[in-house]
Amino acid sequence: MFADRAKIYIRSGKGGDGHVSFRREKYVPNGGPDGGDGGNGGSVIFEVDEGLNTLTDFRHIRKYCAQDGEQGGKRNCRGKNGGDIIVKVPEGTVVKELESGKIIADMSGENRRQTILSGGKGGNGNQHYATSTMQAPKYAQPGQPSKELDLFLELKVIADVGLVGFPNVGKSTLLSRVTNARPKIANYHFTTLNPNLGVVDLDGGKGFVIADIPGLIEGASEGVGLGHEFLRHIERTKVLIHLVDAASTEGRDPIADIYAINKELEAYNEDIAHRPQVIAANKIDAIYAGNDEDPVAKIKEEFEPKGIKVFPISAVSGQGLNDLLYYVRDLLSQINEPPTVFEPEFNPDTDIVVGNEPFTVEYDEKKNEYVVEGPRIEKMLGYTNLESERGFKFFQEFLKNNEILDELEALGIQEGDTVRMYGLAFSYYKE
């Protein structure tokens, strides 16, 4: 079954925690810190697989998680990095953040491989935090947390030309005759259920890729029928071939059909409706010879003054197809625009914020006080004016938001107890 949309969950690997340890050698009684760094977490990487053309696999597997980095060890031993996870997708897949709908990546054109979520960086061991005033740091940096995202994957096929029209006007028949595609063909009164792609090879020149977009109906842009499910597939196309039943074999008015489909295209995306368009008046072999009015002439009279070329064709017999295809190729050669690539709107590396500066909270029984240490606290005290009411309030919010107060309470701190931070002593009072 064709699938062109999917929702999945991805998670990068957590960075391994840095280690706290000290040298304990026979002839080095007061050895310094030697805690090793944690390993980096694995990343989630998306990669284009030429052998895929649907998102069906994501209906069976919805969670993709990279490996966590290992913790650091004693004697400056660094933890092992976590393994990356490679997610294979078909070309043309647009990766979006599920909640906001913002684009993270468009896996098309030159973008064949992209890291969507970077793994967490491993934490520094306590050897990195030794200073002249703190020669035996009892804290190490935790590894950066993993990042997680719910994604919406949307396949927008890569084609130069989009083939549009109402159901049962002969799109599948035309595609099978002019390309190597083999769509299922029958006299259905409903639409094809998946877009079909084919390559048109022409003598003496470059060919092009054509996509049969499943049949649209009136109201498709508003969600009526199945047409709206596939409108996304013409977003990258440069030229549209509008196929109509010129013989009105089912009693439909081809001119009214053209206006109805163009109205749906404009309602979905105004830019698409204004792209170069060619009308293929199909089923001319079924036009009744004794008809007083030539339906193809009426179509030409209506649309050619508006700059839209009309070609009478028979998809069954092949009549008129060469003129149509060579005209479309010439039209494409005049369009110098690069293929449509959707620009990123969401960067997980900057839009998902994580922090991991280390700190420790301990109770010193000898001095009967609680001691809070770590570079995060030291930095905060360096730029905060504790003499001002505003600065002290900021200081309290910092302790609360970084869960330092929770750590103190877990150790059993009581009102009036002393908390020491880098030479500063505070009395603890609960709000």
Side-chain angles (χ1 to χ4, degrees):
M1 182 176 180
F2 182 82
D4 61 357
R5 289 180 297 177
K7 295 177 183 178
I8 65 170
Y9 165 86
I10 62 172
R11 182 183 68 81
S12 62
K14 175 190 178 299
D17 295 338
H19 189 68
V20 177
S21 61
F22 299 91
R23 292 174 63 191
R24 292 291 181 264
E25 298 174 31
K26 187 173 182 180
Y27 299 106
V28 188
N30 297 313
D34 69 349
D37 301 344
N40 297 329
S43 299
V44 181
I45 301 170
F46 275 53
E47 188 174 87
V48 172
D49 186 336
E50 305 289 350
L52 296 176
N53 55 19
T54 80
L55 299 175
T56 303
D57 291 347
F58 297 102
R59 292 189 171 182
H60 309 297
I61 305 175
R62 296 178 182 270
K63 293 181 71 174
Y64 296 84
C65 301
Q67 289 181 343
D68 295 338
E70 289 185 356
Q71 294 184 4
K74 298 178 180 179
R75 300 179 182 177
N76 301 327
C77 289
R78 189 179 188 279
K80 183 180 177 183
N81 291 339
D84 298 331
I85 185 167
I86 310 296
V87 181
K88 304 274 190 175
V89 295
E91 183 176 8
T93 300
V94 179
V95 182
K96 298 180 179 180
E97 197 272 324
L98 179 62
E99 186 175 349
S100 66
K102 291 182 177 179
I103 295 171
I104 297 173
D106 183 352
M107 304 303 296
S108 62
E110 296 180 359
N111 188 23
R112 319 303 288 178
R113 181 183 172 96
Q114 181 171 334
T115 299
I116 302 298
L117 277 186
S118 300
K121 190 173 181 293
N124 290 328
N126 68 331
Q127 58 172 313
H128 293 277
Y129 298 105
T131 65
S132 58
T133 57
M134 178 61 65
Q135 296 184 12
K138 297 178 182 177
Y139 48 80
Q141 187 179 33
Q144 281 187 340
S146 61
K147 295 176 182 177
E148 54 184 23
L149 271 178
D150 288 309
L151 299 180
F152 179 65
L153 308 183
E154 192 173 29
L155 179 60
K156 299 176 188 282
V157 299
I158 308 295
D160 302 304
V161 178
L163 193 56
V164 299
F166 272 79
N168 206 34
V169 294
K171 296 195 304 299
S172 296
T173 303
L174 174 62
L175 190 74
S176 67
R177 176 167 279 276
V178 302
T179 75
N180 55 359
R182 293 292 177 264
K184 293 180 180 178
I185 301 171
N187 188 27
Y188 295 135
H189 287 265
F190 50 87
T191 179
T192 305
L193 293 179
N194 49 288
N196 292 295
L197 267 71
V199 179
V200 177
D201 293 317
L202 297 174
D203 293 336
K206 186 180 177 182
F208 53 86
V209 179
I210 186 170
D212 160 23
I213 308 303
L216 303 177
I217 61 173
E218 290 178 88
S221 61
E222 299 170 2
V224 177
L226 285 173
H228 77 291
E229 296 284 337
F230 301 101
L231 278 164
R232 71 183 67 87
H233 294 300
I234 57 176
E235 289 187 40
R236 299 189 198 268
T237 56
K238 298 177 182 177
V239 173
L240 298 178
I241 296 179
H242 200 137
L243 199 67
V244 292
D245 178 1
S248 301
T249 56
E250 296 186 350
R252 303 187 61 86
D253 179 358
I255 293 176
D257 280 359
I258 293 169
Y259 280 120
I261 293 295
N262 283 341
K263 182 180 176 183
E264 294 307 319
L265 295 177
E266 189 167 9
Y268 176 74
N269 185 327
E270 194 171 337
D271 175 60
I272 295 173
H274 292 96
R275 288 178 191 172
Q277 190 173 133
V278 179
I279 294 172
N282 191 28
K283 302 188 181 181
I284 57 172
D285 52 319
I287 296 175
Y288 179 54
N291 198 337
D292 294 335
E293 292 184 342
D294 181 359
V296 174
K298 288 181 67 176
I299 298 170
K300 287 186 175 185
E301 184 181 335
E302 181 69 24
F303 292 101
E304 289 200 337
K306 299 176 181 179
I308 302 175
K309 185 78 172 170
V310 178
F311 289 88
I313 67 163
S314 169
V316 173
S317 69
Q319 184 180 349
L321 291 183
N322 276 348
D323 291 341
L324 169 67
L325 297 177
Y326 278 101
Y327 178 83
V328 169
R329 188 194 67 182
D330 291 343
L331 203 56
L332 286 169
S333 66
Q334 297 169 27
I335 301 173
N336 296 319
E337 299 175 7
T340 300
V341 176
F342 298 94
E343 294 298 323
E345 304 166 325
F346 184 95
N347 184 346
D349 283 336
T350 57
D351 293 342
I352 301 176
V353 180
V354 295
N356 69 329
E357 287 280 7
F359 67 89
T360 57
V361 180
E362 295 179 339
Y363 175 61
D364 187 335
E365 292 185 4
K366 290 182 180 180
K367 295 182 179 180
N368 190 28
E369 61 184 18
Y370 293 84
V371 181
V372 181
E373 292 178 342
R376 192 189 325 183
I377 290 88
E378 193 173 13
K379 289 176 188 175
M380 184 276 299
L381 291 171
Y383 61 69
T384 305
N385 180 12
L386 299 178
E387 300 297 325
S388 71
E389 183 180 346
R390 185 177 179 183
F392 195 75
K393 188 175 181 181
F394 172 77
F395 166 70
Q396 288 179 307
E397 287 294 317
F398 172 86
L399 296 179
K400 182 179 179 181
N401 294 337
N402 286 276
E403 301 178 349
I404 294 171
L405 294 183
D406 292 341
E407 294 267 359
L408 288 167
E409 290 180 4
L411 289 174
I413 195 168
Q414 301 295 320
E415 289 199 3
D417 287 350
T418 300
V419 180
R420 185 170 296 280
M421 301 183 193
Y422 291 93
L424 298 174
F426 306 92
S427 293
Y428 177 79
Y429 289 100
K430 192 166 184 179
E431 293 181 340

